[in-house]
Amino acid sequence: MIETVLTIIEPYLPIIKTVFAITCIGFGCSFALAIAAKFFEVKDDPRIGEVNELLPGANCGACGYAGCMDYAKAVVMDDAELNRCAPGGADLTATLAEYLGKTAEAAEKQVAIVLCMGTNDAAKCRFEYNGIADCRAAHLVGGGDKACTYGCLGYSSCATVCPTQAIEMVDGVAKVHPELCISCGKCVTACPRNLIKLVPEKNTVHILCSSNDKGPIVRKVCTKGCIGCTMCVKLTKEEESVFMDGFLAKIDYSKEVQNKVIVEKCPPKCIIDTTINN
Amino acid sequence: MNILKAKFKIHGGVHPKYRKELARDEETKRLPLPDILRISTTQHLGAPSKPVVKKGDYVKKYQLLAEAAGFISAPVHSPASGTIKDIVTGTGASGAPVTEIILETNNTSDAELTGVYPTDEWQKLSPETILNRIREAGVVGAGGAGFPTYVKLSPPPDKKIETLIINGAECEPYLTADYRLMLEHPECLIAGIQIICKVLNVTEAYIAIEDNKPEAIELLSKYLEDKKIENIKVSTLPTYYPQGAEKQQIYSITGREVPSGGLPADVGVLVENTGTTVAIYNAVIKDLPFIERTTTVSGYGIETPSNVIAPIGTPYQELIDFCGGAKDDVKKIISGGPMMGFAQATAETTTTKTTSGLLLLTAKEISQFESSPCISCGRCIAACPMNLMPAELSQFCEAEDFESAAANRVMDCMECGCCAFSCPAHRPLVQHFRTAKAFLRAQPKK
Amino acid sequence: MSEEQLYSVSSSPHVHSGASIHGIMRDVVIAMVPTFIAAIIFFGLNALILTATCVISCVFFEYLSRRIMKRNNTINDLSAVITGVLLAFNLPPTFPIWMAVVGSFVAIVIAKQLFGGLGYNPFNPALAGRLFLFLSFAFAMSGDWTPWSYINTENIVATTSATPLGMLQESTGSIAFLSNNSNIMNMFLGKVNGCIGEVSALALILGGLYLLWRKVITWHIPVAYIGTVAVFATILYMIDPSTNASPLFHLFSGGLMLGAIFMATDMVTSPTDRSGMLVFGIGCGLLTMIIRKWGAYPEGVSFSIFIMNATTPLINRVCKPRVFGVKGKA
Amino acid sequence: MTASKNNTCKLEACVTQGSTCFQLVACHLRASSASPARRERSLRYLKTYGKRKVKMNFYIELVKGLWKENPIFRLMLGMCPTLAVTTSLQNGLGMGVATLFVLIGSNIVISMLRNVIPDKVRIPCYIVVIATFVTVIDLCMAAFTPELHKSLGIFIPLIVVNCIILGRAEAFASKNRVFVSIADAIGMGLGFTLSLAILGSLREVLGAGTITLWGSGLQVKTFLSKNPAVLLLLPPGGFMSLGLILGFINYMQDLKAKRLGKTYEPPVLNGCRHCIIACGQSTKPKEDK
């Protein structure tokens, strides 16, 4: 009986041996793997990986952490706020809150805005600049070639650091496309003249000037500069949404500008309403 | 003969066209007092001084305008009598905003000094008194950086200064102010050196002069011989730029290398500029505060290149007018020398204690930068007196990899400009390093 | 004021030495003139046609590729002219014209412009072109040619069709003959078979001296390169003169002089620091001799420079000058 | 019309790949900024990006590998066999078909087993599955096309570690149903074969002057066969021709985008800010000022 079986399987013996050997190796290896998994296990909250999956993965650093993974870790382990992720926005905050069973208030979406309108034809130059086409470098050479010491130099340092290419140079002045802005704030630190601010997206009225010089000086160097006439402040007296900071009118971004007539009334036309202008 | 030849040769250096002949034989002239002086409170390195006068005040010549605001700072005195018109924010020579005191002069001489000491009496003063007088006179390094001399002359107690070097190299092209000073006032210079020697208790002093100024070498050595002064020697240096750089000069004369990031005091040496030495002389012996300095007005863009004594706060335009006015084809106005000076946007900028020169250059003389790619010819490396690799560093800077730039010692760069001077691709190397250094300085220290 | 001409403001320094890329390249072109004359003397019209073809096609490809890539025109910096001349110098006199054009294409477009143009090319373009042709059209690159044949074919006495190194490789000529003085003298003057620009060591050395005088190159690479070859060859010769040619033979044969003076000293592809240049030159010399002695090809200059070009970034990383005021290694 | 479809497809591709191509998405958003409606749609994709819920379509999965996500010309995967074996058209085709077979087999099996395989040991499991199919095709080729098997040599067993196969297993088959996985495998495999064939024929024509489809029987000689540029058959020639093809594709894309009035931006994920080769792009001379 056994002999018959043996004669039948005789030609297949190498295959059987191989299969047997492979199976043994497989079992051995998986056993080793199982032991290794037990001994060398790193306790890791599985939620971290899943939260990381939920995050956009842009690694932009807007949350203040080294990257998305870092933020995910902070959210799960250290109870970091859920609304720090700017690219994810309110949707993500809600998703995270739902996933982690927490309540979180969505942060207001902020967008960057360049507070300058000194385009090539509006603002004058003090000298002919010859050197590296980079705002920070130009700013160090004689303080920049724009006659206005507050204005945008136009060498696109902000546009280069922007991870989503949301900044475009229009006529020598940086312009942010708000729909692409993920409010990571890189441009804010890149600008040597501190012209870029992160403002709530819902505010549509902006005063696009940063010059704190007196009116006549501003007028001398730029046709679009705030001359400190305080007209906008007077017109919005009740709502108190515009205030004077030195010789410069500024929007109080915690309020919303109701009286949009200031856009029309501003003498140098440096107030814009994005809902109209775009 | 007490002339010594420098023994050590530094690496690198370049030979720009010196063009010193423009102003070297011009007798130093005194500028008539301008009607308006705009005196900056940033005349020196360190904290800007604090104005002690206000709008509408009447001030007399030599009166204190602004006091030192901190240890590394220096007071500023009024160069003339007149009324303070305003205190405003203006632009300094480097382009940074500065506070300026606007003074309307009235050309009367109601100057008041605290008291005049006879020339020979300073020997009896204690070093502390002398130092104090130097501090109160607002003496700062006149070479360019403007480091307060009082601070420089008070080295930490654990560092003993053995050698004093008076920097008369004046390696920057065009400039001849120090040269004229050495020729015209050797007695002030030597007395100034003796004062510093006394303050620091130094026995050995060298006057370092490049060998393209034989008249100055001869005059000074003869003067020293006549007066039988043994401890001061004239040291001739081979002519090349940047011979006047502190670390390179120390190496040329003594063979000692100032460690990276260190001060000359670390190797027991102190370097003072000739202009500063004369200012020390004025402060200690004549009790005059630092209110005026010799400035070279030169370049092919000015009618008559000259050496002018001008009060601090003089607008450049006054100097230009005094020297016959600018020619039509002026393309660049430079405060300082052409290698390290600052280009000016207007002639409205004013002189300070550190303005060694005012150059009006035509398009033919100046260089234009291009950002063309590096062809790695290695000329910048051959020219760098600090033995850096400017070609590689500039690529790090261009890629904004400032950490790598710092690791390759961009902070050791002294911005002498030798690399950009010799770059055949006309790359703005120094500007790259300036940007990187500004960025690195702004970073918090780790 | 505002309507007037504005003053120019830039970072210091405000003056310049006047050196420019164009000037450097012009000097290199001038330095190649003696070799070019020698080439015409030895190879006649062929050399002229070949050089003209390479130069014209190199400049044309440079213009065309910059145009297509929408970059600014760079033919004025003369680097394409140099590539053309060097490529032609590296070709045998009988080389087909169309192949020379292909070589120019590889040199300019593939080895240079695709990497970003002058300054970014990791390899010497002319060398890349030559190696492409050498590896692709091996037969044409070893074309038979007898010097002076364009004047009078009957005057040829001692020259054969193979290059001296080829003879050494195949041992067709006796070592003693190759190393004898008159033969070495012929090789020094250029009366041998070879590529049109590599035969006359005399003319090449003249050009090299001009470059040294104009401070376009420094002595480090040529001296290190030629010195290493000389030392290596001397050692071999001292070990066994019957199978190894004399050091002088090695110095004046093949493309060593051309390579050491014009190809290895190419600024873009060689190290920037002096110490690095010495390392580069020694590396080239060692590789050249190793390939000549033990390699499959008779000549190793092109390969060795090409390989050392690839190591240039590494050499630049290691060989740095000691920063002033820093003790020990930076 | 086609352009908008293109953009949408690209977006879908990004989203399904699950890679961190936020910037890529943004690039395409900029590219599609011509029409507000299109932009709106793109923005919607951007918002749903994190949730990654896109419907699978057999046809889309099949076609994408041929061109839009061509593993060689667009994704730059599997470079080793690409450069090594494409010395002739025949070799390229053979390699492509072998890979196609392995890809289909492994995608089917892995897709079927996707819920069984533990996450931590998935890579060894994939390798085992892939190795099985590679052994099968290796032995088959040795039996039926010995010549081809000989000339492909070690590269047939090396299909095991071909990152196209492992990549599709990891990125696609382990997350999707069998049906679409097959489509993905066929598309990717055909795309791979196509690219190898293009590369192989180019190199063979220039480097040997011939085009070989099946041994010496199906071989065409061209005028170049007298003086072929042999270097193209050598490894450097592989790199050169692949690079030139990639450059040409990017150039054509650029031209196409220009025709549509847009700017083409090659899919660069990390930007070049940290690249040490200073290509001069960051210091362009200032425009119109």
Side-chain angles (χ1 to χ4, degrees):
Chain A
M1 173 64 192
I2 293 167
E3 273 173 22
T4 6
V5 172
L6 271 180
T7 40
I8 293 168
I9 66 168
E10 167 103 70
Y12 305 104
L13 212 53
I15 296 178
I16 291 169
K17 273 182 191 165
T18 318
V19 168
F20 183 71
I22 294 282
T23 315
C24 286
I25 293 172
F27 270 106
C29 287
S30 48
F31 190 64
L33 265 179
I35 290 172
K38 200 82 193 158
F39 270 93
F40 302 115
E41 188 183 4
V42 179
K43 285 262 184 277
D44 206 8
D45 199 326
R47 291 181 301 169
I48 294 175
E50 282 164 45
V51 168
N52 187 40
E53 287 277 296
L54 290 174
L55 294 175
N59 287 324
C60 64
C63 49
Y65 294 91
C68 289
M69 193 65 193
D70 213 30
Y71 179 53
K73 216 174 265 174
V75 164
V76 177
M77 311 296 281
D78 309 336
D79 278 339
E81 292 156 57
L82 299 180
N83 55 13
R84 299 291 283 272
C85 182
D91 289 359
L92 181 76
T93 310
T95 322
L96 285 180
E98 190 189 353
Y99 175 78
L100 294 169
K102 290 180 188 170
T103 51
E105 202 164 306
E108 243 174 325
K109 162 134 193 198
Q110 292 198 311
V111 291
I113 185 155
V114 183
L115 298 180
C116 180
M117 278 183 113
T119 47
N120 287 339
D121 43 330
K124 291 198 179 76
C125 280
R126 286 195 299 150
F127 54 79
E128 244 175 61
Y129 172 67
N130 169 229
I132 310 168
D134 177 273
C135 296
R136 280 161 287 184
H139 185 65
L140 287 174
V141 176
D145 59 346
K146 223 162 228 181
C148 172
T149 49
Y150 299 90
C152 175
L153 287 168
Y155 294 102
S156 63
S157 284
C158 49
T160 352
V161 295
C162 181
T164 59
Q165 301 170 22
I167 302 182
E168 194 185 350
M169 303 307 294
V170 181
D171 251 352
V173 169
K175 190 176 183 307
V176 182
H177 288 279
E179 68 276 18
L180 288 176
C181 178
I182 56 168
S183 49
C184 65
K186 280 187 176 163
C187 48
V188 178
T189 46
C191 182
R193 298 197 148 178
N194 299 323
L195 288 176
I196 307 181
K197 298 265 175 315
L198 283 173
V199 299
E201 196 186 23
K202 64 177 199 306
N203 291 53
T204 56
V205 178
H206 307 286
I207 299 175
L208 294 188
C209 182
S210 302
S211 171
N212 213 342
D213 277 336
K214 286 178 193 163
I217 301 173
V218 174
R219 215 174 257 164
K220 218 183 278 176
V221 295
C222 180
T223 55
K224 290 273 181 75
C226 170
I227 51 172
C229 64
T230 70
M231 185 183 279
C232 45
V233 180
K234 282 173 203 148
L235 285 171
T236 55
K237 207 162 193 172
E238 289 90 58
E239 49 187 279
E240 291 181 329
S241 54
V242 183
F243 65 99
M244 290 303 288
D245 179 14
F247 299 103
L248 174 66
K250 282 187 175 169
I251 302 262
D252 182 354
Y253 280 105
S254 59
K255 303 184 180 92
E256 244 174 289
V257 178
Q258 306 297 333
N259 190 1
K260 294 195 175 170
V261 75
I262 58 171
V263 176
E264 294 297 313
K265 283 282 168 72
C266 175
K269 298 264 181 280
C270 66
I271 306 180
I272 61 147
D273 184 351
T274 46
T275 50
I276 302 167
N277 290 45
N278 284 19
Chain B
M1 275 305 258
N2 44 13
I3 301 178
L4 275 173
K5 263 211 153 85
K7 290 178 286 257
F8 303 90
K9 165 84 178 77
I10 58 159
H11 170 268
V14 290
H15 293 275
K17 288 200 178 74
Y18 282 96
R19 294 192 171 123
K20 299 230 182 205
E21 67 283 357
L22 286 175
R24 71 184 302 160
D25 299 325
E26 299 290 327
E27 196 85 17
T28 310
K29 287 174 279 191
R30 183 170 286 277
L31 182 80
L33 189 65
D35 295 337
I36 298 281
L37 292 175
R38 300 209 318 276
I39 302 135
S40 156
T41 58
T42 313
Q43 305 260 355
H44 48 265
L45 206 73
S49 28
K50 210 164 82 222
V52 293
V53 289
K54 54 184 193 299
K55 190 174 171 178
D57 280 3
Y58 181 78
V59 293
K60 291 175 178 171
K61 195 174 180 183
Y62 306 132
Q63 191 182 324
L64 187 70
L65 287 182
E67 60 184 14
F71 180 61
I72 301 185
S73 185
V76 178
H77 299 80
S78 175
S81 306
T83 321
I84 306 291
K85 259 184 82 186
D86 207 350
I87 298 177
V88 296
T89 306
T91 315
S94 69
V98 293
T99 307
E100 282 179 340
I101 302 168
I102 300 180
L103 177 69
E104 199 171 49
T105 61
N106 63 0
N107 222 348
T108 53
S109 51
D110 48 1
E112 274 177 24
L113 291 174
T114 45
V116 179
Y117 295 84
T119 311
D120 49 355
E121 216 171 87
W122 67 269
Q123 303 276 13
K124 293 173 192 160
L125 300 173
S126 71
E128 286 73 32
T129 323
I130 296 176
L131 259 183
N132 215 23
R133 203 168 286 175
I134 291 171
R135 185 182 63 186
E136 277 168 11
V139 180
V140 302
F147 196 74
T149 307
Y150 161 73
V151 183
K152 207 168 179 177
L153 291 181
S154 347
D158 57 321
K159 288 183 182 131
K160 171 86 182 89
I161 305 287
E162 298 152 2
T163 312
L164 172 70
I165 295 173
I166 301 302
N167 181 358
E170 204 164 44
C171 57
E172 279 262 16
Y174 295 94
L175 303 189
T176 52
D178 286 356
Y179 171 72
R180 290 311 305 182
L181 208 59
M182 287 188 284
L183 279 192
E184 291 167 20
H185 302 289
E187 71 289 345
C188 302
L189 183 70
I190 304 296
I193 297 170
Q194 283 168 330
I195 295 169
I196 305 175
C197 286
K198 181 178 162 90
V199 170
L200 292 171
N201 198 13
V202 172
T203 49
E204 188 188 26
Y206 296 97
I207 306 171
I209 306 174
E210 279 187 342
D211 55 13
N212 63 349
K213 304 177 186 69
E215 297 92 339
I217 297 169
E218 201 173 313
L219 187 101
L220 282 175
S221 61
K222 195 152 179 300
Y223 183 88
L224 289 171
E225 224 161 278
D226 291 349
K227 298 272 168 182
K228 299 210 167 37
I229 300 168
E230 295 291 322
N231 64 335
I232 304 175
K233 294 188 179 69
V234 175
S235 173
T236 64
L237 304 169
T239 305
Y240 57 83
Y241 180 86
Q243 189 59 266
E246 202 171 58
K247 291 179 176 181
Q248 277 65 24
Q249 196 165 64
I250 292 170
Y251 183 75
S252 289
I253 293 173
T254 66
R256 296 178 206 167
E257 263 186 41
V258 179
S260 162
L263 289 170
D266 293 339
V267 291
V269 183
L270 186 94
V271 180
E272 266 317 336
N273 178 270
T274 39
T276 322
T277 316
V278 173
I280 289 172
Y281 165 87
N282 284 338
V284 176
I285 294 176
K286 295 192 182 163
D287 199 18
L288 293 175
F290 197 170
I291 53 158
E292 58 186 21
R293 67 156 296 152
T294 315
T295 299
T296 306
V297 184
S298 185
Y300 284 116
I302 190 99
E303 285 295 338
T304 49
S306 345
N307 301 295
V308 186
I309 296 178
I312 57 170
T314 310
Y316 288 166
Q317 194 60 50
E318 296 274 345
L319 282 170
I320 296 169
D321 293 343
F322 179 67
C323 296
K327 289 180 191 165
D328 289 341
D329 52 350
V330 173
K331 190 74 186 143
K332 221 171 202 179
I333 299 182
I334 295 163
S335 162
M339 295 298 280
M340 288 184 76
F342 297 102
Q344 301 301 312
T346 65
E348 294 305 304
T349 324
T350 56
T351 59
T352 63
K353 292 172 184 174
T354 56
T355 311
S356 50
L358 171 62
L359 305 181
L360 276 75
L361 302 187
T362 54
K364 263 181 287 175
E365 293 164 89
I366 60 166
S367 62
Q368 283 291 317
F369 291 113
E370 295 159 31
S371 253
S372 57
C374 167
I375 58 163
S376 52
C377 61
R379 290 184 182 198
C380 50
I381 298 171
C384 182
M386 293 304 286
N387 287 4
L388 299 168
M389 292 186 85
E392 193 192 64
L393 279 178
S394 80
Q395 294 194 349
F396 285 130
C397 297
E398 210 165 352
E400 303 201 5
D401 185 1
F402 294 131
E403 288 80 32
S404 300
N408 284 283
R409 301 201 162 267
V410 72
M411 292 312 269
D412 277 328
C413 168
M414 56 173 179
E415 301 168 18
C416 66
C418 289
C419 48
F421 173 82
S422 49
C423 179
H426 298 258
R427 285 166 64 78
L429 296 162
V430 175
Q431 199 184 1
H432 278 305
F433 306 148
R434 284 227 172 107
T435 315
K437 284 167 78 175
F439 179 87
L440 290 168
R441 271 196 219 106
Q443 292 292 97
K445 290 240 157 48
K446 277 173 195 161
Chain C
M1 182 70 210
S2 62
E3 293 307 309
E4 281 172 44
Q5 176 78 45
L6 296 174
Y7 292 124
S8 167
V9 170
S10 68
S11 181
S12 63
H14 307 288
V15 288
H16 196 267
S17 60
S20 66
I21 297 176
H22 176 89
I24 291 174
M25 299 298 172
R26 194 181 48 217
D27 277 337
V28 178
V29 172
I30 292 171
M32 290 193 293
V33 167
T35 318
F36 182 54
I37 293 169
I40 292 177
I41 290 172
F42 292 117
F43 301 108
L45 208 54
N46 279 29
L48 186 66
I49 293 172
L50 208 51
T51 314
T53 312
C54 284
V55 170
I56 291 169
S57 48
C58 275
V59 172
F60 172 72
F61 284 131
E62 170 111 350
Y63 173 77
L64 199 70
S65 53
R66 298 296 289 198
R67 185 83 190 270
I68 289 174
M69 293 185 209
K70 295 186 184 60
R71 293 185 175 142
N72 55 335
N73 192 2
T74 53
I75 54 171
N76 286 335
D77 68 15
L78 293 182
S79 60
V81 174
I82 291 177
T83 305
V85 178
L86 277 181
L87 180 64
F89 280 4
N90 272 302
L91 301 176
T94 50
F95 201 66
I97 297 295
W98 73 268
M99 287 187 189
V101 176
V102 171
S104 305
F105 173 81
V106 173
I108 290 292
V109 177
I110 292 181
K112 188 171 153 200
Q113 293 302 343
L114 287 185
F115 283 96
L118 183 70
Y120 301 127
N121 47 324
F123 300 106
N124 186 334
L127 211 49
R130 175 197 147 83
L131 282 176
F132 178 86
L133 297 175
F134 186 65
L135 293 171
S136 292
F137 313 116
F139 180 73
M141 282 299 277
S142 59
D144 288 349
W145 175 263
T146 35
W148 306 105
S149 61
Y150 66 95
I151 301 171
N152 187 353
T153 32
E154 281 153 37
N155 273 357
I156 311 147
V157 189
T159 45
T160 61
S161 58
T163 60
L165 278 168
M167 292 191 275
L168 181 70
Q169 170 91 4
E170 289 155 24
S171 299
T172 46
S174 76
I175 303 292
F177 165 73
L178 287 174
S179 302
N180 83 11
N181 280 340
S182 71
N183 192 41
I184 298 266
M185 195 60 201
N186 275 348
M187 281 160 56
F188 180 67
L189 293 175
K191 260 174 73 181
V192 287
N193 186 18
C195 298
I196 61 169
E198 70 181 24
V199 288
S200 177
L202 176 68
L204 288 163
I205 290 171
L206 277 179
L209 289 177
Y210 175 78
L211 288 182
L212 279 174
W213 174 61
R214 296 287 296 168
K215 295 206 175 84
V216 171
I217 61 172
T218 57
W219 56 269
H220 300 77
I221 291 178
V223 168
Y225 193 169
I226 296 170
T228 310
V229 168
V231 169
F232 204 121
T234 312
I235 292 170
L236 287 180
Y237 193 61
M238 277 157 69
I239 291 170
D240 187 1
S242 63
T243 53
N244 294 303
S246 78
L248 281 179
F249 173 86
H250 274 294
L251 289 192
F252 298 135
S253 63
L256 179 67
M257 286 292 164
L258 179 65
I261 293 169
F262 287 106
M263 314 280 265
T265 54
D266 173 29
M267 292 163 174
V268 180
T269 55
S270 63
T272 44
D273 186 47
R274 304 289 155 93
S275 56
M277 289 180 185
L278 287 177
V279 173
F280 183 85
I282 291 170
C284 285
L286 285 178
L287 284 173
T288 302
M289 281 312 288
I290 287 170
I291 294 172
R292 280 187 181 181
K293 178 71 187 147
W294 294 290
Y297 292 103
E299 173 61 311
V301 170
S302 315
F303 288 108
S304 58
I305 300 175
F306 202 75
I307 292 168
M308 289 312 285
N309 278 347
T311 67
T312 295
L314 284 174
I315 296 176
N316 272 343
R317 217 152 226 267
V318 179
C319 295
K320 285 182 182 173
R322 185 186 67 86
V323 176
F324 186 88
V326 176
K327 296 271 179 292
K329 201 121 177 87
Chain D
M1 181 55 213
T2 42
S4 92
K5 201 177 157 197
N6 262 350
N7 276 317
T8 321
C9 291
K10 268 177 200 160
L11 276 169
E12 271 176 355
C14 297
V15 175
T16 46
Q17 264 175 49
S19 52
T20 56
C21 34
F22 198 82
Q23 205 171 6
L24 187 62
V25 177
C27 284
H28 290 301
L29 281 179
R30 299 254 349 241
S32 63
S33 62
S35 130
R38 226 175 278 158
R39 186 160 214 160
E40 178 65 27
R41 187 167 349 138
S42 307
L43 280 169
R44 250 201 336 267
Y45 269 107
L46 193 58
K47 276 184 184 159
T48 53
Y49 172 66
K51 293 165 191 168
R52 221 179 279 141
K53 279 176 195 159
V54 179
K55 274 184 190 159
M56 292 294 162
N57 179 317
F58 187 84
Y59 177 71
I60 288 178
E61 299 308 320
L62 188 72
V63 176
K64 70 167 192 236
L66 289 180
W67 187 245
K68 282 187 205 86
E69 285 181 52
N70 186 303
I72 290 181
F73 293 150
R74 314 252 69 188
L75 302 182
M76 301 289 287
L77 291 173
M79 285 295 113
C80 170
T82 307
L83 293 165
V85 304
T86 53
T87 49
S88 71
L89 176 59
Q90 173 191 299
N91 285 358
L93 281 178
M95 186 72 200
V97 171
T99 311
L100 176 66
F101 169 78
V102 177
L103 196 50
I104 294 173
S106 69
N107 258 19
I108 292 173
V109 173
I110 290 167
S111 180
M112 285 195 297
L113 295 177
R114 69 182 189 276
N115 295 326
V116 185
I117 298 173
D119 203 37
K120 279 179 185 168
V121 291
R122 63 188 192 286
I123 301 292
C125 295
Y126 297 163
I127 292 283
V128 170
V129 172
I130 295 165
T132 313
F133 285 102
V134 170
T135 313
V136 172
I137 192 77
D138 188 30
L139 293 175
C140 288
M141 282 178 83
F144 298 110
T145 59
E147 282 297 308
L148 187 62
H149 184 259
K150 207 175 158 194
S151 72
L152 291 179
I154 186 70
F155 292 102
I156 292 290
L158 276 183
I159 297 177
V160 177
V161 284
N162 188 325
C163 51
I164 295 174
I165 293 163
L166 209 54
R168 293 330 288 177
E170 168 80 6
F172 200 93
S174 65
K175 290 174 186 159
N176 291 295
R177 288 172 296 119
V178 181
F179 189 53
V180 281
S181 293
I182 294 174
D184 179 71
I186 295 174
M188 285 289 160
L190 283 179
F192 184 64
T193 315
L194 181 76
S195 333
L196 288 194
I198 293 174
L199 203 54
S201 43
L202 179 83
R203 283 178 71 186
E204 198 188 346
V205 167
L206 293 177
T210 57
I211 293 184
T212 321
L213 209 57
W214 192 258
S216 52
L218 268 174
Q219 193 181 43
V220 185
K221 277 204 169 110
T222 66
F223 69 98
L224 272 168
S225 59
K226 265 187 200 159
N227 270 316
V230 187
L231 188 78
L232 281 168
L233 291 190
L234 304 175
F239 282 101
M240 272 160 62
S241 34
L242 177 67
L244 287 177
I245 290 178
L246 289 176
F248 182 71
I249 289 174
N250 272 351
Y251 181 67
M252 292 314 286
Q253 295 277 344
D254 189 31
L255 280 190
K256 194 171 141 195
K258 284 257 168 59
R259 238 188 357 258
L260 298 167
K262 296 169 197 156
T263 51
Y264 169 71
E265 287 170 65
V268 177
L269 284 179
N270 295 317
C272 49
R273 302 284 292 178
H274 301 288
C275 171
I276 184 60
I277 302 166
C279 64
Q281 290 293 319
S282 58
T283 50
K284 276 181 289 199
K286 196 178 179 185
E287 280 160 21
D288 53 57
K289 187 152 189 192

